[in-house]
Amino acid sequence: MAELEAESLHFSVGILGISGGSLLLLVNNYGSSPEKSLIPHTALGVLLLIIAALLAYSGVRRSLSQSRLFSSVCLTVSALWGGSGLVYLLVGERVLGATELRTSLVPGLAAFTLALLILAIVSLFQREVVFFIITLSISLACGHQIAGLSSPSFGQSATAACYLLVTLVGAYFGCGRLLSFITRGRVEAPGTRLKKRRAGGQGVRGPEDCNDVVPVGLVMNLLSASVLACPLLAVVPQLSAGHVPWLWTAAVFQLGVCVLSYRAMDSLTATFYGFTSILHFTEGYSALLTAPSFSILPSSPVPFPVVFSVLFFILALFSCQKSLAEGLYQLFFVAYTIALAAQPSLSFQAGAQGVQAAIFVVSAVMLLVTSYNMLANRIPTGEGMFKALVMRVSNLTLRPRDRQLHDPYLGYSRYADAEVLGHACSVLAAFSITSSVEERDPLAVLVLPWTVVAGGILQLLVGSVAFSRGKTLESTAFILYGVMWSVWGLTRYGGLYGDTRGFNVAVGIISFLLFNSLVTVGALFLNIAWFLYAATFHLIIISFLLDAVGALPYGYDIGVSIVFGLVSFYCFLSGLFNMTFLTPQLPLGRALVRLSGEGGGGRDTCPHVPARKATAVHQIAEIMKSGGICGMPTDTVYVLVAACNRPEAVEKAYRCKQQAQDRPMSLWVSSINQLEPVRSLLSPLLWDFMSAAWPSSISMVIPRGPWMEVFGLGESAKHIGTPQSIAIRNPDCAVATHLINLVGPIAVTSANPTGEADTTHHNQVYAKLGDKVDGVLCDGPSPENSASTVVDCTKIESGHIGFFRVGLIPKSQVLQIFEDIQKRHSHGQINPGFETDLTEPGPNLTDPQRHTEQHNTQSPESSPVPPATQSPAYIDTSPHPSDSPSYRPWVLTTTEDS
């Protein structure tokens, strides 16, 4: 099947979810008659929505791990059953009449019949047998259901038979994969093994080059086009309220595609599907107004969609850098928005329906090409034409398209930059409110979806993405403006505002005015473009305030909206241009105010480099070799490290975080081989225990001794451990061990001032320690927030090991390791490296007093201080726990004694 990756429960849940939904529809179709449904429409709708949510969750989770075809199938079936469930629910609750069931379901079913058939063809070409059977069967089931709705005499037996096949195949394969997951691959049902596909093989795109949710976005465009084009082909009489579930399902799923595209570092695709989701919400809103409870014919006095067509056109031009086919595809939406602008009533008829019919055909072709190329990459789409054209222009230099393009100012982010979409939404919202309501019903003026969806929902999404990238000011601005657009749109154009004017409304607007004042001041420290963006929005809020108190000058609101729209348009254009071209750049201006001192712009921040690049690790290593201290990711939390052979760096690390006397630093090595110079001073049992337990999240406390002088610590050795013991650890982290390999043993302390919470993200390192840090190795959020397990090895020769703290590694696992090593020694199996040492005169390593004088290692997490008061990576070792009457170490001979 699809490429084999880490076995996931979500894969089995997705397949079983499809099987369960098919079983539900199988029973309903077999047991229903033309006069009465076996399962009430309300219950059927709710069950389908629950299964659709489960499938969407499985598809999204597998999408994050680049399981491409599975994600497309899961999310497509989820949208099918989600839209159908909403229609059944509305019919069951009598929002729609029973006679409207056919006209409501047919356009959506027609779209999914074609979409699933295309996915079945791709599955067949790629020899994905299970997905071929599932998608083809559901596609045929949708086709048979359309026939049954059109002619009751046709019956639903054929539909039930198709779902029966899906149920059987899905149940067998899903249970087989679930059994394999539970038994960790030891038991597998015949025919359920996933075929391995070499990553990056010939003709197959690597995970970083492919956005695997694009087919889902194309399916949603196919769905919307089918709903709008069916009235043109006389399949249904007209666009009605029964089509709203399909249109809004397409909009919601395209919002999900937008977010996942940012996760795939594909800003252009994310922006496009953000735009199309706005269109689908607007289409659904227009269809909703035709319901009997509203019976409103929406209108748009200002040809506002022309603004949208300009944004689509610019985006289409820049999307040609991905492929010429994608740019041409987006031009169809330029034509669609122009057709909408030509219809003041925005009825989505006539010319708009004709363009949607063309979009239906083109979306189907693009779905086939994109799905096939996602796995095989054989159908040419003109990917290199844009680059070839730019190379002919001497003044333009194309920016390389890789993940580093979207790296934030400080380090690494899992999401691409979303500011382009945020500024485009500001353009849409600003120009939409130039429409005047006057004496008409506010709902009749088609402004609400543009302000609430584009200015509100999309701005909130962009603000969330900006926040995840560590952009505090930008995220605050987008979220604040999103809330403002939503509130103002609902009150002014949603009928909630009415004719009410007065102080009560003005108070809320004044609060937004004060918040935006802070954003405007903050923008002074960013750049001129952002300052103008915040300042002109300030003028818009003032227009809201003047309108609330009934003192709005004629034309003021329209004027400031146009000014804000133009500033937003420049930010949108500069974002696209600067993201595409390395030179020249559209200027955004310098910061108007720069402060000196920490973080204020008086000096550049220290290097923040991605841990995934070997060159970045070498850069941090060179900084440490020169006496610098750096932040580093580990298998637990972020730590502050210094090279042991640079005593001044160890002193600096100890002082910079105001290290408490009862929380000493620890010693870390990349492997036990770095302890070779002192191997003769360590007991064979301790050495073998270290060899068996490392690398892992196990810290070992051993006695202190003169052997520490080998590492070149000098006077700074007093900061490592306590006078009696030190902690030593070999972390189970590839980045950390690679860095220690380059630098040598390191002194480690937590990357936060003493007493503060642990540092769990690379951006927090600089935020907490500022310019005291010389570099940060960035790897996003910490993989674990649990501390390491701290083992007392000071009395290991007598068969005793104690636990200062049980963390990430369970106590039973540590005891099992020690018991195995102890059994080996009891049978005379000693590490060959010690055979000579045990026969030659030398220090008596079994003498407890000598042992205590010569070695001690205390790990960052080996202190007796309760975990709540210490960093997961480090522990307080001031009073030795063995001195406490409450300390009872575990004692092992050959059995565990607790």
Side-chain angles (χ1 to χ4, degrees):
M1 290 196 55
E3 58 193 56
L4 181 63
E5 303 186 1
E7 197 50 54
S8 172
L9 182 62
H10 305 106
F11 191 95
S12 304
V13 170
I15 295 294
L16 291 175
I18 294 176
S19 177
S22 300
L23 178 62
L24 173 67
L25 294 172
L26 160 67
V27 173
N28 184 64
N29 280 282
Y30 263 127
S32 299
S33 64
E35 295 78 20
K36 185 178 180 181
S37 176
L38 175 65
I39 303 176
H41 289 318
T42 300
L44 180 62
V46 171
L47 291 174
L48 284 175
L49 287 174
I50 293 173
I51 296 173
L54 181 65
L55 290 178
Y57 173 76
S58 299
V60 168
R61 289 303 301 263
R62 294 297 292 170
S63 170
L64 298 180
S65 62
Q66 299 292 340
S67 182
R68 297 166 184 165
L69 192 54
F70 173 82
S71 297
S72 299
V73 172
C74 257
L75 292 173
T76 300
V77 175
S78 173
L80 166 63
W81 289 346
S84 301
L86 287 173
V87 172
Y88 283 119
L89 187 61
L90 293 177
V91 173
E93 293 300 308
R94 298 183 180 178
V95 176
L96 299 175
T99 57
E100 295 181 84
L101 182 62
R102 173 193 168 277
T103 58
S104 299
L105 284 177
V106 167
L109 293 175
F112 284 106
T113 300
L114 179 58
L116 288 167
L117 179 61
I118 292 173
L119 291 178
I121 294 173
V122 174
S123 302
L124 179 63
F125 284 145
Q126 297 300 322
R127 300 179 183 177
E128 308 283 2
V129 179
V130 174
F131 285 158
F132 169 72
I133 296 174
I134 289 175
T135 52
L136 181 62
S137 299
I138 298 179
S139 174
L140 293 175
C142 291
H144 288 305
Q145 187 175 359
I146 292 174
L149 290 171
S150 302
S151 176
S153 61
F154 187 84
Q156 298 294 339
S157 298
T159 305
C162 292
Y163 281 125
L164 175 62
L165 182 59
V166 177
T167 301
L168 296 176
V169 172
Y172 176 76
F173 189 81
C175 290
R177 295 315 307 158
L178 184 62
L179 179 64
S180 175
F181 173 79
I182 294 174
T183 61
R184 298 183 181 274
R186 291 189 293 270
V187 179
E188 288 187 346
T192 61
R193 178 184 292 272
L194 298 178
K195 294 189 303 182
K196 295 183 180 180
R197 188 186 303 276
R198 292 180 301 173
Q202 183 176 3
V204 181
R205 294 185 180 186
E208 295 187 358
D209 300 325
C210 184
N211 182 358
D212 65 314
V213 293
V214 171
V216 180
L218 292 169
V219 171
M220 297 305 109
N221 283 337
L222 193 73
L223 172 60
S224 171
S226 174
V227 171
L228 294 174
C230 275
L232 180 66
L233 303 175
V235 177
V236 296
Q238 61 182 2
L239 190 65
S240 65
H243 300 140
V244 175
W246 294 117
L247 293 171
W248 282 1
T249 295
V252 170
F253 271 78
Q254 286 195 330
L255 281 180
V257 171
C258 176
V259 175
L260 292 175
S261 295
Y262 281 124
R263 183 66 181 258
M265 298 296 172
D266 192 352
S267 289
L268 293 172
T269 299
T271 304
F272 172 68
Y273 286 111
F275 284 178
T276 54
S277 69
I278 298 172
L279 279 177
H280 300 333
F281 273 118
T282 306
E283 294 159 356
Y285 176 77
S286 298
L288 181 64
L289 293 182
T290 63
S293 56
F294 292 103
S295 298
I296 297 174
L297 182 62
S299 63
S300 179
V302 177
F304 162 73
V306 171
V307 177
F308 214 166
S309 68
V310 173
L311 297 178
F312 262 121
F313 179 74
I314 294 174
L315 181 63
L317 290 181
F318 284 96
S319 295
C320 290
Q321 64 181 295
K322 296 182 63 180
S323 72
L324 183 62
E326 190 160 344
L328 293 176
Y329 175 66
Q330 294 180 14
L331 288 179
F332 281 87
F333 289 87
V334 177
Y336 175 57
T337 49
I338 292 176
L340 289 179
Q343 302 175 18
S345 63
L346 284 181
S347 58
F348 298 96
Q349 295 179 0
Q353 287 181 318
V355 177
Q356 281 291 348
I359 290 177
F360 180 85
V361 175
V362 176
S363 296
V365 174
M366 286 294 295
L367 176 61
L368 176 62
V369 172
T370 303
S371 300
Y372 187 80
N373 283 354
M374 188 173 63
L375 300 172
N377 197 24
R378 296 173 185 170
I379 301 177
T381 56
E383 292 188 3
M385 296 185 66
F386 183 85
K387 183 177 180 181
L389 180 63
V390 170
M391 291 180 65
R392 295 175 179 271
V393 182
S394 58
N395 295 331
L396 293 178
T397 303
L398 197 63
R399 188 183 294 274
R401 289 182 60 229
D402 55 18
R403 285 178 174 259
Q404 191 176 7
L405 167 66
H406 300 284
D407 284 347
Y409 181 57
L410 294 181
Y412 164 79
S413 173
R414 294 183 178 179
Y415 292 88
D417 201 336
E419 285 191 26
V420 169
L421 178 59
H423 292 308
C425 290
S426 294
V427 175
L428 294 175
F431 280 97
S432 68
I433 63 173
T434 57
S435 298
S436 178
V437 176
E438 297 175 351
E439 302 299 327
R440 290 170 297 177
D441 185 346
L443 293 177
V445 182
L446 200 60
V447 176
L448 186 61
W450 307 116
T451 55
V452 175
V453 177
I457 298 175
L458 268 296
Q459 292 266 29
L460 293 174
L461 185 150
V462 170
S464 301
V465 173
F467 181 79
S468 72
R469 293 174 55 82
K471 292 188 170 185
T472 307
L473 178 66
E474 294 90 329
S475 63
T476 302
F478 284 127
I479 291 174
L480 176 65
Y481 297 170
V483 173
M484 187 71 227
W485 285 121
S486 299
V487 172
W488 183 252
L490 290 172
T491 54
R492 185 72 176 87
Y493 299 99
L496 303 179
Y497 192 59
D499 297 328
T500 304
R501 300 290 190 277
F503 179 73
N504 292 336
V505 178
V507 168
I509 299 176
I510 291 174
S511 65
F512 278 105
L513 199 64
L514 295 176
F515 284 130
N516 191 62
S517 298
L518 299 177
V519 173
T520 306
V521 172
L524 292 170
F525 301 88
L526 197 57
N527 55 53
I528 296 176
W530 258 98
F531 172 74
L532 293 176
Y533 181 72
T536 50
F537 190 78
H538 210 66
L539 298 178
I540 288 184
I541 300 179
I542 292 175
S543 74
F544 296 163
L545 177 62
L546 294 175
D547 183 60
V549 297
L552 180 65
Y554 179 78
Y556 174 80
D557 54 342
I558 296 177
V560 297
S561 297
I562 293 175
V563 171
F564 176 72
L566 293 175
V567 172
S568 301
F569 178 77
Y570 179 81
C571 293
F572 162 76
L573 186 60
S574 64
L576 276 177
F577 193 89
N578 296 343
M579 184 172 62
T580 304
F581 299 105
L582 194 61
T583 57
Q585 296 267 294
L586 289 182
L588 294 174
R590 299 178 62 85
L592 296 175
V593 178
R594 293 176 65 87
L595 297 179
S596 60
E598 181 177 307
R603 52 162 288 183
D604 293 333
T605 59
C606 65
H608 283 63
V609 293
R612 300 184 179 187
K613 292 193 173 184
T615 54
V617 179
H618 280 271
Q619 182 180 349
I620 295 296
E622 291 302 318
I623 293 174
M624 294 178 64
K625 290 177 182 179
S626 301
I629 59 175
C630 300
M632 179 186 75
T634 69
D635 47 349
T636 52
V637 295
Y638 279 79
V639 295
L640 188 65
V641 298
C644 287
N645 57 9
R646 305 293 298 194
E648 70 279 7
V650 178
E651 291 277 356
K652 180 181 177 182
Y654 185 84
R655 291 194 308 268
C656 86
K657 62 160 287 179
Q658 301 174 349
Q659 186 80 11
Q661 294 296 326
D662 59 349
R663 291 178 180 268
M665 303 174 75
S666 60
L667 180 70
W668 285 19
V669 294
S670 63
S671 70
I672 197 171
N673 294 331
Q674 288 192 331
L675 296 177
E676 282 290 339
V678 298
R679 185 175 66 175
S680 60
L681 302 176
L682 301 177
S683 70
L685 182 60
L686 177 60
W687 185 272
D688 285 349
F689 185 39
M690 289 178 173
S691 300
W694 288 344
S696 67
S697 298
I698 297 176
S699 301
M700 297 188 185
V701 179
I702 65 175
R704 193 182 192 92
W707 55 271
M708 290 183 62
E709 298 175 0
V710 175
F711 301 116
L713 285 162
E715 292 296 324
S716 65
K718 62 185 178 182
H719 301 310
I720 311 292
T722 67
Q724 296 81 29
S725 62
I726 67 168
I728 189 167
R729 181 179 167 196
N730 174 199
D732 187 15
C733 175
V735 173
T737 53
H738 181 38
L739 181 62
I740 302 172
N741 267 331
L742 298 173
V743 176
I746 58 175
V748 180
T749 184
S750 57
N752 55 273
T754 301
E756 292 191 8
D758 303 326
T759 301
T760 57
H761 195 277
H762 57 256
N763 285 342
Q764 297 176 3
V765 178
Y766 187 80
K768 292 182 177 183
L769 300 177
D771 293 336
K772 300 172 183 177
V773 183
D774 299 305
V776 179
L777 202 54
C778 305
D779 197 31
S782 299
E784 300 288 347
N785 287 332
S786 299
S788 66
T789 297
V790 183
V791 183
D792 178 15
C793 299
T794 56
K795 300 180 180 179
I796 192 171
E797 284 302 306
S798 61
H800 296 66
I801 61 170
F803 289 87
F804 293 158
R805 179 180 64 220
V806 178
L808 200 57
I809 306 299
K811 182 185 297 183
S812 59
Q813 183 175 340
V814 179
L815 293 173
Q816 183 62 50
I817 295 173
F818 183 62
E819 184 176 2
D820 292 342
I821 297 301
Q822 209 172 31
K823 285 180 179 179
R824 286 172 48 193
H825 279 257
S826 65
H827 290 83
Q829 299 178 15
I830 301 176
N831 191 313
F834 292 99
E835 292 178 355
T836 305
D837 298 334
L838 294 176
T839 58
E840 294 179 355
N844 183 7
L845 297 180
T846 60
D847 184 285
Q849 180 179 359
R850 185 81 174 181
H851 179 268
T852 304
E853 292 176 355
Q854 290 184 345
H855 23 10
N856 173 312
T857 317
Q858 166 145 14
S859 126
E861 292 108 349
S862 58
S863 118
V865 176
T869 63
Q870 65 186 29
S871 164
Y874 305 94
I875 65 160
D876 181 2
T877 61
S878 50
H880 197 280
S882 60
D883 298 332
S884 170
S886 62
Y887 172 73
R888 298 185 62 185
W890 288 77
V891 181
L892 277 184
T893 53
T894 57
T895 59
E896 178 179 333
D897 180 57
S898 58

